[in-house]
Amino acid sequence: MDRRQQKTRAAIFGAFSALLAEKSYGKITVQEIIDTANIGRTTFYDHFETKDDLLKALCGELFGHIIRSAADCTHTHGLYSDGSAPESVFCHLLQHLRENENNILGLLSSESSEIFLRYFKDSLNELIQKQFIGQNRRANLDIPEDFLVNHISGSFVEMVLWWIRGRMRQSPEELDRYFRSVIEPVL
């Protein structure tokens, strides 16, 4: 993708995110996205076939970036200028969420949150499968892996929502400690 296409795509994502912060997904029209992004209809359809495709791409980019960054603690975005990257992938993920890149916290708590929560949970499933279930599982070996993955990712999503509703009073390190103290005995 060339720079012009990247710039157009970023404008579409930005317009869509801004609209999602104001109203529910179902009430947003492609025309509103086009107007807000200040692009032509043909340009929109050159990038996305439907509004649903746009949503899927936006979620893939937002959550994919955060999950990949969390899984690779060498990719720190300047979060750890003092050189103290966290040991826990969950703490790293929470720190990225706290940075609130691309207004992800607003999207997770918006009218359209159920859509974003589903994509977030699906992205977490992959991370949890790779980082925990497939590696060091020592307990509850009679419980199906997909059940554990679903349970852990669902619990993490609910914790993030609790954190957002509580105005993020706890630090990522504190939340990470809470979360790991609950899930480590399960694994």
Side-chain angles (χ1 to χ4, degrees):
M1 187 179 313
D2 67 27
R3 286 185 186 181
R4 184 178 49 83
Q5 290 172 316
Q6 290 173 348
K7 193 173 182 179
T8 300
R9 191 173 173 98
I12 294 169
F13 281 163
F16 190 43
S17 295
L19 289 166
L20 284 165
E22 296 172 10
K23 57 172 125 180
S24 69
Y25 172 75
K27 293 181 181 177
I28 297 171
T29 66
V30 170
Q31 188 60 52
E32 288 175 305
I33 298 166
I34 290 167
D35 292 344
T36 305
N38 196 24
I39 60 168
R41 182 170 286 281
T42 304
T43 302
F44 176 87
Y45 286 111
D46 283 345
H47 289 268
F48 305 101
E49 289 184 32
T50 65
K51 184 174 75 167
D52 290 344
D53 288 338
L54 170 56
L55 175 67
K56 186 175 182 179
L58 176 68
C59 289
E61 193 159 300
L62 290 174
F63 298 123
H65 172 74
I66 287 176
I67 298 295
R68 281 189 308 277
S69 295
D72 176 14
C73 287
T74 62
H75 178 76
T76 60
H77 282 282
L79 289 172
Y80 316 111
S81 55
D82 63 356
S84 62
E87 288 182 30
S88 165
V89 69
F90 292 115
C91 186
H92 192 148
L93 181 54
L94 290 164
Q95 287 170 333
H96 272 278
L97 289 172
R98 184 181 63 191
E99 288 288 306
N100 201 16
E101 296 168 359
N102 301 313
N103 192 30
I104 199 163
L105 294 179
L107 294 173
L108 289 174
S109 59
S110 72
E111 281 186 52
S112 303
S113 64
E114 70 283 346
I115 295 166
F116 292 98
L117 292 171
R118 184 181 59 223
Y119 279 105
F120 184 40
K121 188 171 175 284
D122 289 347
S123 297
L124 281 169
N125 285 345
E126 188 178 322
L127 175 72
I128 291 164
Q129 180 67 44
K130 286 179 187 172
Q131 294 283 321
F132 298 98
I133 304 301
Q135 291 191 8
N136 300 333
R137 186 171 163 201
R138 293 184 203 109
N140 298 309
L141 296 174
D142 57 329
I143 298 174
E145 283 186 9
D146 59 336
F147 177 86
L148 282 175
V149 168
N150 183 66
H151 178 73
I152 294 167
S153 63
S155 180
F156 189 85
V157 167
E158 286 300 320
M159 179 189 68
V160 168
L161 290 174
W162 173 82
W163 190 39
I164 292 168
R165 284 189 297 267
R167 294 184 164 60
M168 300 169 69
R169 285 189 291 261
Q170 298 78 13
S171 69
E173 295 78 12
E174 192 174 3
L175 269 185
D176 175 58
R177 187 171 41 83
Y178 298 166
F179 187 68
R180 286 188 300 123
S181 70
V182 172
I183 67 156
E184 285 176 355
V186 173
L187 298 173

